[in-house]
Amino acid sequence: MNKTILITGATSGIGLACARKFAENGDKVILTGRNEQRLAEIRKTLTDKGAQVLTLAFDVRDSEKAKEYIDGLPAEWKEIDVLVNNAGLALGVDREYEGDIEEWSTMIDTNIKGLLTMTRLIVPGMVERNRGHIINIGSVAGDAAYAGGSVYCATKAAVKALSDGLRIDVIDTSIRVTNLKPGLVETNFSNIRFRGDKERAKKLYTGINPLTGDDIADVAVYAANAPEHVQIAEVLILATHQASANMIVRK
């Protein structure tokens, strides 16, 4: 059965890959992001291929705007079957005692509070219908801290805790909760983290064949389409030659 999928942070990287993969699967996709022009370009590309696409331009950090858009969904889009909480970012690699407080706020407000906002807005409808699936995009960084990443790691550890907690809260329903934890994925993520230093970002992927957004999207689509009695609770997805967030062999 085709589903209605809502994906946050859908304008690039893993979110965009999820948009493409779910659309290819025949699902209706609701795509959110801050860049309205980019959303329009993606919508056209997907609709030209026959997909049903709705775009919503807002920042998940703005809970009032998020509520306005979700409450205003057209009737045929209101029953969301799968929520992909993908919107997230890392900023900087400073030591914790030297970090930028504004960058911390951006990470916390996006990676944690934005996820919570979307969960709060979407999941009650799933509970009422007794069906649905929440796929949170966590990270291997949530398993252990590493140098220069303590705040980002903390936000992804929070995603792990929030996923586990939600799974407990909906245990008496047919709703499933999945936490996907990617390792080294080559997207625009590192360009943002290194504040636009593309050469530094490129070096991160030197000597190893990193994961792609498509690799993570493939797992998301699989989890969403597993038999109803199967809940893919958590998946750690690493590149070959990667053992943890910062244990990588480059050749």
Side-chain angles (χ1 to χ4, degrees), residues 34 86-94 100 102-104 106-108 110-111 139 141 146 148-156 187-196 204:
R34 293 176 297 170
N86 166 74
L89 76 167
L91 291 170
V93 287
D94 305 300
D100 185 296
E102 289 301 315
E103 289 183 341
W104 293 348
T106 299
M107 284 187 281
I108 292 167
T110 305
N111 300 2
S139 172
Y146 55 79
S150 63
V151 176
Y152 174 70
C153 292
T155 67
K156 289 305 183 178
T187 65
N188 196 44
F189 175 90
S190 294
N191 289 332
I192 294 171
R193 174 168 226 168
F194 296 132
R195 305 181 180 108
L204 189 65

PDB file of all heavy atoms in Angstrom, residues 34 86-94 100 102-104 106-108 110-111 139 141 146 148-156 187-196 204:
ATOM      1  N   ARG A  34      14.037  24.855   4.533  1.00  0.00           N
ATOM      2  CA  ARG A  34      14.017  26.313   4.650  1.00  0.00           C
ATOM      3  C   ARG A  34      14.078  27.021   3.301  1.00  0.00           C
ATOM      4  O   ARG A  34      13.663  28.166   3.181  1.00  0.00           O
ATOM      5  CB  ARG A  34      15.198  26.770   5.512  1.00  0.00           C
ATOM      6  CG  ARG A  34      15.100  26.336   6.964  1.00  0.00           C
ATOM      7  CD  ARG A  34      16.335  26.732   7.745  1.00  0.00           C
ATOM      8  NE  ARG A  34      17.534  26.061   7.240  1.00  0.00           N
ATOM      9  CZ  ARG A  34      18.774  26.363   7.608  1.00  0.00           C
ATOM     10  NH1 ARG A  34      18.977  27.352   8.471  1.00  0.00           N
ATOM     11  NH2 ARG A  34      19.805  25.698   7.129  1.00  0.00           N
ATOM     12  N   ASN A  86      14.652  14.113   9.720  1.00  0.00           N
ATOM     13  CA  ASN A  86      16.001  14.154   9.169  1.00  0.00           C
ATOM     14  C   ASN A  86      16.723  15.478   9.407  1.00  0.00           C
ATOM     15  O   ASN A  86      17.956  15.507   9.472  1.00  0.00           O
ATOM     16  CB  ASN A  86      15.941  13.883   7.655  1.00  0.00           C
ATOM     17  CG  ASN A  86      17.233  14.233   6.954  1.00  0.00           C
ATOM     18  OD1 ASN A  86      18.243  13.525   7.067  1.00  0.00           O
ATOM     19  ND2 ASN A  86      17.228  15.356   6.240  1.00  0.00           N
ATOM     20  N   ALA A  87      15.981  16.572   9.523  1.00  0.00           N
ATOM     21  CA  ALA A  87      16.604  17.897   9.638  1.00  0.00           C
ATOM     22  C   ALA A  87      17.615  17.909  10.786  1.00  0.00           C
ATOM     23  O   ALA A  87      17.295  17.554  11.917  1.00  0.00           O
ATOM     24  CB  ALA A  87      15.539  18.970   9.871  1.00  0.00           C
ATOM     25  N   GLY A  88      18.842  18.298  10.477  1.00  0.00           N
ATOM     26  CA  GLY A  88      19.885  18.330  11.499  1.00  0.00           C
ATOM     27  C   GLY A  88      21.190  18.822  10.905  1.00  0.00           C
ATOM     28  O   GLY A  88      21.358  18.850   9.685  1.00  0.00           O
ATOM     29  N   LEU A  89      22.108  19.202  11.771  1.00  0.00           N
ATOM     30  CA  LEU A  89      23.384  19.720  11.300  1.00  0.00           C
ATOM     31  C   LEU A  89      24.409  19.726  12.419  1.00  0.00           C
ATOM     32  O   LEU A  89      24.066  19.599  13.603  1.00  0.00           O
ATOM     33  CB  LEU A  89      23.225  21.147  10.764  1.00  0.00           C
ATOM     34  CG  LEU A  89      23.075  22.293  11.774  1.00  0.00           C
ATOM     35  CD1 LEU A  89      23.257  23.632  11.070  1.00  0.00           C
ATOM     36  CD2 LEU A  89      21.745  22.257  12.500  1.00  0.00           C
ATOM     37  N   ALA A  90      25.676  19.843  12.014  1.00  0.00           N
ATOM     38  CA  ALA A  90      26.779  20.063  12.947  1.00  0.00           C
ATOM     39  C   ALA A  90      27.445  21.375  12.557  1.00  0.00           C
ATOM     40  O   ALA A  90      27.560  21.686  11.372  1.00  0.00           O
ATOM     41  CB  ALA A  90      27.784  18.919  12.891  1.00  0.00           C
ATOM     42  N   LEU A  91      27.866  22.128  13.555  1.00  0.00           N
ATOM     43  CA  LEU A  91      28.540  23.394  13.305  1.00  0.00           C
ATOM     44  C   LEU A  91      29.821  23.468  14.117  1.00  0.00           C
ATOM     45  O   LEU A  91      29.789  23.411  15.345  1.00  0.00           O
ATOM     46  CB  LEU A  91      27.624  24.569  13.686  1.00  0.00           C
ATOM     47  CG  LEU A  91      26.392  24.777  12.805  1.00  0.00           C
ATOM     48  CD1 LEU A  91      25.458  25.796  13.435  1.00  0.00           C
ATOM     49  CD2 LEU A  91      26.803  25.227  11.399  1.00  0.00           C
ATOM     50  N   GLY A  92      30.946  23.568  13.423  1.00  0.00           N
ATOM     51  CA  GLY A  92      32.219  23.745  14.096  1.00  0.00           C
ATOM     52  C   GLY A  92      32.809  22.472  14.669  1.00  0.00           C
ATOM     53  O   GLY A  92      32.141  21.452  14.828  1.00  0.00           O
ATOM     54  N   VAL A  93      34.117  22.557  14.967  1.00  0.00           N
ATOM     55  CA  VAL A  93      34.838  21.450  15.616  1.00  0.00           C
ATOM     56  C   VAL A  93      35.684  22.018  16.763  1.00  0.00           C
ATOM     57  O   VAL A  93      36.791  21.566  17.022  1.00  0.00           O
ATOM     58  CB  VAL A  93      35.731  20.687  14.599  1.00  0.00           C
ATOM     59  CG1 VAL A  93      34.891  19.837  13.666  1.00  0.00           C
ATOM     60  CG2 VAL A  93      36.593  21.654  13.790  1.00  0.00           C
ATOM     61  N   ASP A  94      35.104  22.998  17.442  1.00  0.00           N
ATOM     62  CA  ASP A  94      35.816  23.649  18.533  1.00  0.00           C
ATOM     63  C   ASP A  94      35.804  22.776  19.786  1.00  0.00           C
ATOM     64  O   ASP A  94      34.917  21.937  19.977  1.00  0.00           O
ATOM     65  CB  ASP A  94      35.154  24.991  18.876  1.00  0.00           C
ATOM     66  CG  ASP A  94      35.046  25.899  17.656  1.00  0.00           C
ATOM     67  OD1 ASP A  94      36.099  26.225  17.092  1.00  0.00           O
ATOM     68  OD2 ASP A  94      33.918  26.257  17.279  1.00  0.00           O
ATOM     69  N   ASP A 100      31.125  28.120  20.098  1.00  0.00           N
ATOM     70  CA  ASP A 100      30.271  29.274  19.837  1.00  0.00           C
ATOM     71  C   ASP A 100      28.872  28.984  20.378  1.00  0.00           C
ATOM     72  O   ASP A 100      28.211  28.036  19.936  1.00  0.00           O
ATOM     73  CB  ASP A 100      30.224  29.532  18.329  1.00  0.00           C
ATOM     74  CG  ASP A 100      29.460  30.781  17.968  1.00  0.00           C
ATOM     75  OD1 ASP A 100      28.246  30.836  18.214  1.00  0.00           O
ATOM     76  OD2 ASP A 100      30.087  31.714  17.431  1.00  0.00           O
ATOM     77  N   GLU A 102      26.043  30.491  19.979  1.00  0.00           N
ATOM     78  CA  GLU A 102      24.977  30.568  18.981  1.00  0.00           C
ATOM     79  C   GLU A 102      24.937  29.301  18.133  1.00  0.00           C
ATOM     80  O   GLU A 102      23.855  28.814  17.774  1.00  0.00           O
ATOM     81  CB  GLU A 102      25.165  31.807  18.093  1.00  0.00           C
ATOM     82  CG  GLU A 102      24.889  33.118  18.795  1.00  0.00           C
ATOM     83  CD  GLU A 102      23.472  33.193  19.340  1.00  0.00           C
ATOM     84  OE1 GLU A 102      22.534  32.810  18.609  1.00  0.00           O
ATOM     85  OE2 GLU A 102      23.294  33.635  20.496  1.00  0.00           O
ATOM     86  N   GLU A 103      26.119  28.776  17.806  1.00  0.00           N
ATOM     87  CA  GLU A 103      26.145  27.523  17.037  1.00  0.00           C
ATOM     88  C   GLU A 103      25.593  26.371  17.872  1.00  0.00           C
ATOM     89  O   GLU A 103      24.893  25.494  17.343  1.00  0.00           O
ATOM     90  CB  GLU A 103      27.571  27.224  16.581  1.00  0.00           C
ATOM     91  CG  GLU A 103      28.052  28.165  15.486  1.00  0.00           C
ATOM     92  CD  GLU A 103      29.432  27.842  14.965  1.00  0.00           C
ATOM     93  OE1 GLU A 103      30.196  27.131  15.659  1.00  0.00           O
ATOM     94  OE2 GLU A 103      29.761  28.287  13.840  1.00  0.00           O
ATOM     95  N   TRP A 104      25.886  26.358  19.159  1.00  0.00           N
ATOM     96  CA  TRP A 104      25.305  25.330  20.029  1.00  0.00           C
ATOM     97  C   TRP A 104      23.778  25.401  19.985  1.00  0.00           C
ATOM     98  O   TRP A 104      23.101  24.380  19.863  1.00  0.00           O
ATOM     99  CB  TRP A 104      25.759  25.523  21.474  1.00  0.00           C
ATOM    100  CG  TRP A 104      27.205  25.286  21.721  1.00  0.00           C
ATOM    101  CD1 TRP A 104      28.125  24.719  20.891  1.00  0.00           C
ATOM    102  CD2 TRP A 104      27.911  25.619  22.931  1.00  0.00           C
ATOM    103  NE1 TRP A 104      29.352  24.679  21.498  1.00  0.00           N
ATOM    104  CE2 TRP A 104      29.254  25.224  22.744  1.00  0.00           C
ATOM    105  CE3 TRP A 104      27.543  26.220  24.134  1.00  0.00           C
ATOM    106  CZ2 TRP A 104      30.224  25.412  23.735  1.00  0.00           C
ATOM    107  CZ3 TRP A 104      28.503  26.406  25.123  1.00  0.00           C
ATOM    108  CH2 TRP A 104      29.827  25.999  24.917  1.00  0.00           C
ATOM    109  N   THR A 106      21.863  26.606  17.675  1.00  0.00           N
ATOM    110  CA  THR A 106      21.347  26.162  16.384  1.00  0.00           C
ATOM    111  C   THR A 106      21.286  24.643  16.314  1.00  0.00           C
ATOM    112  O   THR A 106      20.288  24.064  15.859  1.00  0.00           O
ATOM    113  CB  THR A 106      22.217  26.713  15.236  1.00  0.00           C
ATOM    114  OG1 THR A 106      22.182  28.137  15.271  1.00  0.00           O
ATOM    115  CG2 THR A 106      21.711  26.227  13.889  1.00  0.00           C
ATOM    116  N   MET A 107      22.345  23.973  16.764  1.00  0.00           N
ATOM    117  CA  MET A 107      22.359  22.506  16.749  1.00  0.00           C
ATOM    118  C   MET A 107      21.287  21.928  17.671  1.00  0.00           C
ATOM    119  O   MET A 107      20.548  21.006  17.289  1.00  0.00           O
ATOM    120  CB  MET A 107      23.743  21.984  17.143  1.00  0.00           C
ATOM    121  CG  MET A 107      24.787  22.112  16.061  1.00  0.00           C
ATOM    122  SD  MET A 107      26.354  21.290  16.480  1.00  0.00           S
ATOM    123  CE  MET A 107      27.092  22.498  17.589  1.00  0.00           C
ATOM    124  N   ILE A 108      21.208  22.438  18.871  1.00  0.00           N
ATOM    125  CA  ILE A 108      20.242  21.913  19.842  1.00  0.00           C
ATOM    126  C   ILE A 108      18.808  22.177  19.380  1.00  0.00           C
ATOM    127  O   ILE A 108      17.942  21.295  19.449  1.00  0.00           O
ATOM    128  CB  ILE A 108      20.498  22.518  21.232  1.00  0.00           C
ATOM    129  CG1 ILE A 108      21.829  21.989  21.789  1.00  0.00           C
ATOM    130  CG2 ILE A 108      19.352  22.211  22.196  1.00  0.00           C
ATOM    131  CD1 ILE A 108      22.339  22.746  23.006  1.00  0.00           C
ATOM    132  N   THR A 110      17.706  22.643  16.344  1.00  0.00           N
ATOM    133  CA  THR A 110      17.374  21.878  15.140  1.00  0.00           C
ATOM    134  C   THR A 110      17.335  20.385  15.418  1.00  0.00           C
ATOM    135  O   THR A 110      16.329  19.711  15.161  1.00  0.00           O
ATOM    136  CB  THR A 110      18.394  22.165  14.016  1.00  0.00           C
ATOM    137  OG1 THR A 110      18.478  23.559  13.778  1.00  0.00           O
ATOM    138  CG2 THR A 110      17.990  21.444  12.731  1.00  0.00           C
ATOM    139  N   ASN A 111      18.430  19.852  15.941  1.00  0.00           N
ATOM    140  CA  ASN A 111      18.594  18.407  16.071  1.00  0.00           C
ATOM    141  C   ASN A 111      17.701  17.792  17.143  1.00  0.00           C
ATOM    142  O   ASN A 111      17.288  16.632  17.019  1.00  0.00           O
ATOM    143  CB  ASN A 111      20.051  18.069  16.392  1.00  0.00           C
ATOM    144  CG  ASN A 111      21.020  18.545  15.327  1.00  0.00           C
ATOM    145  OD1 ASN A 111      20.629  19.163  14.348  1.00  0.00           O
ATOM    146  ND2 ASN A 111      22.298  18.289  15.525  1.00  0.00           N
ATOM    147  N   SER A 139      22.885   9.244  14.522  1.00  0.00           N
ATOM    148  CA  SER A 139      24.261   9.226  14.021  1.00  0.00           C
ATOM    149  C   SER A 139      25.104   8.303  14.873  1.00  0.00           C
ATOM    150  O   SER A 139      24.828   8.111  16.064  1.00  0.00           O
ATOM    151  CB  SER A 139      24.859  10.640  14.065  1.00  0.00           C
ATOM    152  OG  SER A 139      26.236  10.610  13.756  1.00  0.00           O
ATOM    153  N   ALA A 141      27.687   9.287  15.852  1.00  0.00           N
ATOM    154  CA  ALA A 141      28.195  10.263  16.825  1.00  0.00           C
ATOM    155  C   ALA A 141      27.421  10.236  18.130  1.00  0.00           C
ATOM    156  O   ALA A 141      27.912  10.730  19.147  1.00  0.00           O
ATOM    157  CB  ALA A 141      28.143  11.671  16.215  1.00  0.00           C
ATOM    158  N   TYR A 146      33.548  12.525  20.509  1.00  0.00           N
ATOM    159  CA  TYR A 146      34.874  12.578  19.892  1.00  0.00           C
ATOM    160  C   TYR A 146      35.362  14.022  19.910  1.00  0.00           C
ATOM    161  O   TYR A 146      34.570  14.957  20.114  1.00  0.00           O
ATOM    162  CB  TYR A 146      34.861  12.001  18.477  1.00  0.00           C
ATOM    163  CG  TYR A 146      33.864  12.625  17.533  1.00  0.00           C
ATOM    164  CD1 TYR A 146      34.107  13.856  16.919  1.00  0.00           C
ATOM    165  CD2 TYR A 146      32.670  11.973  17.230  1.00  0.00           C
ATOM    166  CE1 TYR A 146      33.206  14.414  16.042  1.00  0.00           C
ATOM    167  CE2 TYR A 146      31.747  12.528  16.357  1.00  0.00           C
ATOM    168  CZ  TYR A 146      32.022  13.748  15.763  1.00  0.00           C
ATOM    169  OH  TYR A 146      31.109  14.300  14.900  1.00  0.00           O
ATOM    170  N   GLY A 148      36.204  17.659  19.337  1.00  0.00           N
ATOM    171  CA  GLY A 148      35.610  18.697  18.526  1.00  0.00           C
ATOM    172  C   GLY A 148      34.143  18.498  18.214  1.00  0.00           C
ATOM    173  O   GLY A 148      33.566  19.275  17.450  1.00  0.00           O
ATOM    174  N   GLY A 149      33.544  17.475  18.804  1.00  0.00           N
ATOM    175  CA  GLY A 149      32.148  17.199  18.453  1.00  0.00           C
ATOM    176  C   GLY A 149      31.221  17.007  19.630  1.00  0.00           C
ATOM    177  O   GLY A 149      30.127  16.460  19.469  1.00  0.00           O
ATOM    178  N   SER A 150      31.605  17.452  20.808  1.00  0.00           N
ATOM    179  CA  SER A 150      30.846  17.086  22.002  1.00  0.00           C
ATOM    180  C   SER A 150      29.385  17.516  21.957  1.00  0.00           C
ATOM    181  O   SER A 150      28.488  16.741  22.322  1.00  0.00           O
ATOM    182  CB  SER A 150      31.521  17.641  23.261  1.00  0.00           C
ATOM    183  OG  SER A 150      31.552  19.054  23.247  1.00  0.00           O
ATOM    184  N   VAL A 151      29.114  18.745  21.500  1.00  0.00           N
ATOM    185  CA  VAL A 151      27.720  19.207  21.491  1.00  0.00           C
ATOM    186  C   VAL A 151      26.918  18.487  20.416  1.00  0.00           C
ATOM    187  O   VAL A 151      25.787  18.038  20.665  1.00  0.00           O
ATOM    188  CB  VAL A 151      27.665  20.734  21.295  1.00  0.00           C
ATOM    189  CG1 VAL A 151      26.215  21.204  21.178  1.00  0.00           C
ATOM    190  CG2 VAL A 151      28.346  21.445  22.461  1.00  0.00           C
ATOM    191  N   TYR A 152      27.495  18.338  19.225  1.00  0.00           N
ATOM    192  CA  TYR A 152      26.803  17.584  18.186  1.00  0.00           C
ATOM    193  C   TYR A 152      26.555  16.148  18.642  1.00  0.00           C
ATOM    194  O   TYR A 152      25.451  15.614  18.469  1.00  0.00           O
ATOM    195  CB  TYR A 152      27.615  17.586  16.897  1.00  0.00           C
ATOM    196  CG  TYR A 152      27.022  16.700  15.823  1.00  0.00           C
ATOM    197  CD1 TYR A 152      25.836  17.037  15.190  1.00  0.00           C
ATOM    198  CD2 TYR A 152      27.640  15.495  15.454  1.00  0.00           C
ATOM    199  CE1 TYR A 152      25.271  16.222  14.224  1.00  0.00           C
ATOM    200  CE2 TYR A 152      27.094  14.680  14.490  1.00  0.00           C
ATOM    201  CZ  TYR A 152      25.912  15.041  13.876  1.00  0.00           C
ATOM    202  OH  TYR A 152      25.344  14.220  12.931  1.00  0.00           O
ATOM    203  N   CYS A 153      27.566  15.522  19.229  1.00  0.00           N
ATOM    204  CA  CYS A 153      27.411  14.152  19.729  1.00  0.00           C
ATOM    205  C   CYS A 153      26.293  14.087  20.766  1.00  0.00           C
ATOM    206  O   CYS A 153      25.502  13.136  20.785  1.00  0.00           O
ATOM    207  CB  CYS A 153      28.719  13.653  20.336  1.00  0.00           C
ATOM    208  SG  CYS A 153      30.052  13.397  19.141  1.00  0.00           S
ATOM    209  N   ALA A 154      26.223  15.101  21.614  1.00  0.00           N
ATOM    210  CA  ALA A 154      25.175  15.136  22.634  1.00  0.00           C
ATOM    211  C   ALA A 154      23.790  15.208  21.999  1.00  0.00           C
ATOM    212  O   ALA A 154      22.841  14.563  22.470  1.00  0.00           O
ATOM    213  CB  ALA A 154      25.396  16.318  23.573  1.00  0.00           C
ATOM    214  N   THR A 155      23.672  15.979  20.913  1.00  0.00           N
ATOM    215  CA  THR A 155      22.360  16.076  20.268  1.00  0.00           C
ATOM    216  C   THR A 155      21.950  14.747  19.642  1.00  0.00           C
ATOM    217  O   THR A 155      20.773  14.380  19.666  1.00  0.00           O
ATOM    218  CB  THR A 155      22.327  17.176  19.185  1.00  0.00           C
ATOM    219  OG1 THR A 155      23.172  16.827  18.083  1.00  0.00           O
ATOM    220  CG2 THR A 155      22.736  18.524  19.757  1.00  0.00           C
ATOM    221  N   LYS A 156      22.917  14.006  19.115  1.00  0.00           N
ATOM    222  CA  LYS A 156      22.576  12.727  18.499  1.00  0.00           C
ATOM    223  C   LYS A 156      22.380  11.627  19.553  1.00  0.00           C
ATOM    224  O   LYS A 156      21.624  10.675  19.324  1.00  0.00           O
ATOM    225  CB  LYS A 156      23.649  12.334  17.481  1.00  0.00           C
ATOM    226  CG  LYS A 156      23.621  13.221  16.228  1.00  0.00           C
ATOM    227  CD  LYS A 156      22.238  13.229  15.567  1.00  0.00           C
ATOM    228  CE  LYS A 156      22.206  14.025  14.288  1.00  0.00           C
ATOM    229  NZ  LYS A 156      20.886  13.996  13.612  1.00  0.00           N
ATOM    230  N   THR A 187      27.939  14.167   2.058  1.00  0.00           N
ATOM    231  CA  THR A 187      26.867  15.096   1.701  1.00  0.00           C
ATOM    232  C   THR A 187      27.392  16.510   1.936  1.00  0.00           C
ATOM    233  O   THR A 187      28.580  16.707   2.167  1.00  0.00           O
ATOM    234  CB  THR A 187      25.610  14.861   2.570  1.00  0.00           C
ATOM    235  OG1 THR A 187      25.933  15.184   3.936  1.00  0.00           O
ATOM    236  CG2 THR A 187      25.133  13.412   2.487  1.00  0.00           C
ATOM    237  N   ASN A 188      26.490  17.467   1.956  1.00  0.00           N
ATOM    238  CA  ASN A 188      26.870  18.850   2.248  1.00  0.00           C
ATOM    239  C   ASN A 188      27.109  19.071   3.744  1.00  0.00           C
ATOM    240  O   ASN A 188      27.498  20.161   4.163  1.00  0.00           O
ATOM    241  CB  ASN A 188      25.771  19.806   1.760  1.00  0.00           C
ATOM    242  CG  ASN A 188      26.243  21.238   1.672  1.00  0.00           C
ATOM    243  OD1 ASN A 188      27.335  21.511   1.182  1.00  0.00           O
ATOM    244  ND2 ASN A 188      25.433  22.165   2.160  1.00  0.00           N
ATOM    245  N   PHE A 189      26.906  18.030   4.534  1.00  0.00           N
ATOM    246  CA  PHE A 189      27.029  18.094   5.990  1.00  0.00           C
ATOM    247  C   PHE A 189      28.370  18.679   6.429  1.00  0.00           C
ATOM    248  O   PHE A 189      28.422  19.583   7.272  1.00  0.00           O
ATOM    249  CB  PHE A 189      26.856  16.676   6.553  1.00  0.00           C
ATOM    250  CG  PHE A 189      27.061  16.541   8.037  1.00  0.00           C
ATOM    251  CD1 PHE A 189      25.991  16.685   8.911  1.00  0.00           C
ATOM    252  CD2 PHE A 189      28.311  16.242   8.564  1.00  0.00           C
ATOM    253  CE1 PHE A 189      26.172  16.552  10.280  1.00  0.00           C
ATOM    254  CE2 PHE A 189      28.503  16.111   9.927  1.00  0.00           C
ATOM    255  CZ  PHE A 189      27.430  16.262  10.793  1.00  0.00           C
ATOM    256  N   SER A 190      29.448  18.188   5.860  1.00  0.00           N
ATOM    257  CA  SER A 190      30.773  18.628   6.299  1.00  0.00           C
ATOM    258  C   SER A 190      31.086  20.047   5.851  1.00  0.00           C
ATOM    259  O   SER A 190      31.794  20.785   6.552  1.00  0.00           O
ATOM    260  CB  SER A 190      31.854  17.659   5.790  1.00  0.00           C
ATOM    261  OG  SER A 190      31.685  16.394   6.402  1.00  0.00           O
ATOM    262  N   ASN A 191      30.573  20.453   4.683  1.00  0.00           N
ATOM    263  CA  ASN A 191      30.760  21.849   4.262  1.00  0.00           C
ATOM    264  C   ASN A 191      30.156  22.805   5.280  1.00  0.00           C
ATOM    265  O   ASN A 191      30.739  23.853   5.593  1.00  0.00           O
ATOM    266  CB  ASN A 191      30.115  22.084   2.889  1.00  0.00           C
ATOM    267  CG  ASN A 191      30.872  21.416   1.764  1.00  0.00           C
ATOM    268  OD1 ASN A 191      32.082  21.224   1.843  1.00  0.00           O
ATOM    269  ND2 ASN A 191      30.164  21.059   0.707  1.00  0.00           N
ATOM    270  N   ILE A 192      28.992  22.435   5.792  1.00  0.00           N
ATOM    271  CA  ILE A 192      28.341  23.267   6.802  1.00  0.00           C
ATOM    272  C   ILE A 192      29.125  23.222   8.104  1.00  0.00           C
ATOM    273  O   ILE A 192      29.369  24.255   8.736  1.00  0.00           O
ATOM    274  CB  ILE A 192      26.888  22.799   7.022  1.00  0.00           C
ATOM    275  CG1 ILE A 192      26.066  23.033   5.751  1.00  0.00           C
ATOM    276  CG2 ILE A 192      26.263  23.512   8.227  1.00  0.00           C
ATOM    277  CD1 ILE A 192      24.691  22.432   5.780  1.00  0.00           C
ATOM    278  N   ARG A 193      29.545  22.017   8.490  1.00  0.00           N
ATOM    279  CA  ARG A 193      30.281  21.881   9.748  1.00  0.00           C
ATOM    280  C   ARG A 193      31.557  22.708   9.753  1.00  0.00           C
ATOM    281  O   ARG A 193      31.905  23.331  10.754  1.00  0.00           O
ATOM    282  CB  ARG A 193      30.622  20.408  10.002  1.00  0.00           C
ATOM    283  CG  ARG A 193      31.512  20.225  11.212  1.00  0.00           C
ATOM    284  CD  ARG A 193      31.629  18.786  11.639  1.00  0.00           C
ATOM    285  NE  ARG A 193      31.469  18.699  13.070  1.00  0.00           N
ATOM    286  CZ  ARG A 193      31.297  17.568  13.734  1.00  0.00           C
ATOM    287  NH1 ARG A 193      31.224  16.436  13.089  1.00  0.00           N
ATOM    288  NH2 ARG A 193      31.175  17.577  15.037  1.00  0.00           N
ATOM    289  N   PHE A 194      32.265  22.688   8.618  1.00  0.00           N
ATOM    290  CA  PHE A 194      33.527  23.425   8.515  1.00  0.00           C
ATOM    291  C   PHE A 194      33.309  24.856   8.023  1.00  0.00           C
ATOM    292  O   PHE A 194      34.237  25.483   7.520  1.00  0.00           O
ATOM    293  CB  PHE A 194      34.499  22.680   7.610  1.00  0.00           C
ATOM    294  CG  PHE A 194      34.910  21.327   8.158  1.00  0.00           C
ATOM    295  CD1 PHE A 194      34.884  20.201   7.350  1.00  0.00           C
ATOM    296  CD2 PHE A 194      35.310  21.195   9.473  1.00  0.00           C
ATOM    297  CE1 PHE A 194      35.269  18.960   7.842  1.00  0.00           C
ATOM    298  CE2 PHE A 194      35.695  19.955   9.978  1.00  0.00           C
ATOM    299  CZ  PHE A 194      35.673  18.835   9.170  1.00  0.00           C
ATOM    300  N   ARG A 195      32.084  25.326   8.148  1.00  0.00           N
ATOM    301  CA  ARG A 195      31.735  26.727   7.873  1.00  0.00           C
ATOM    302  C   ARG A 195      32.120  27.150   6.459  1.00  0.00           C
ATOM    303  O   ARG A 195      32.668  28.235   6.243  1.00  0.00           O
ATOM    304  CB  ARG A 195      32.385  27.638   8.913  1.00  0.00           C
ATOM    305  CG  ARG A 195      32.052  27.258  10.368  1.00  0.00           C
ATOM    306  CD  ARG A 195      32.691  28.203  11.354  1.00  0.00           C
ATOM    307  NE  ARG A 195      32.368  27.838  12.730  1.00  0.00           N
ATOM    308  CZ  ARG A 195      33.240  27.304  13.584  1.00  0.00           C
ATOM    309  NH1 ARG A 195      34.493  27.064  13.195  1.00  0.00           N
ATOM    310  NH2 ARG A 195      32.883  27.024  14.813  1.00  0.00           N
ATOM    311  N   GLY A 196      31.861  26.249   5.499  1.00  0.00           N
ATOM    312  CA  GLY A 196      32.093  26.581   4.095  1.00  0.00           C
ATOM    313  C   GLY A 196      33.477  26.273   3.564  1.00  0.00           C
ATOM    314  O   GLY A 196      33.765  26.562   2.400  1.00  0.00           O
ATOM    315  N   LEU A 204      37.981  15.015   4.448  1.00  0.00           N
ATOM    316  CA  LEU A 204      37.344  14.062   5.356  1.00  0.00           C
ATOM    317  C   LEU A 204      37.035  12.742   4.663  1.00  0.00           C
ATOM    318  O   LEU A 204      37.016  11.684   5.291  1.00  0.00           O
ATOM    319  CB  LEU A 204      36.062  14.685   5.917  1.00  0.00           C
ATOM    320  CG  LEU A 204      35.356  13.937   7.044  1.00  0.00           C
ATOM    321  CD1 LEU A 204      36.220  13.889   8.300  1.00  0.00           C
ATOM    322  CD2 LEU A 204      34.017  14.586   7.362  1.00  0.00           C
TER     323      LEU A 204
END
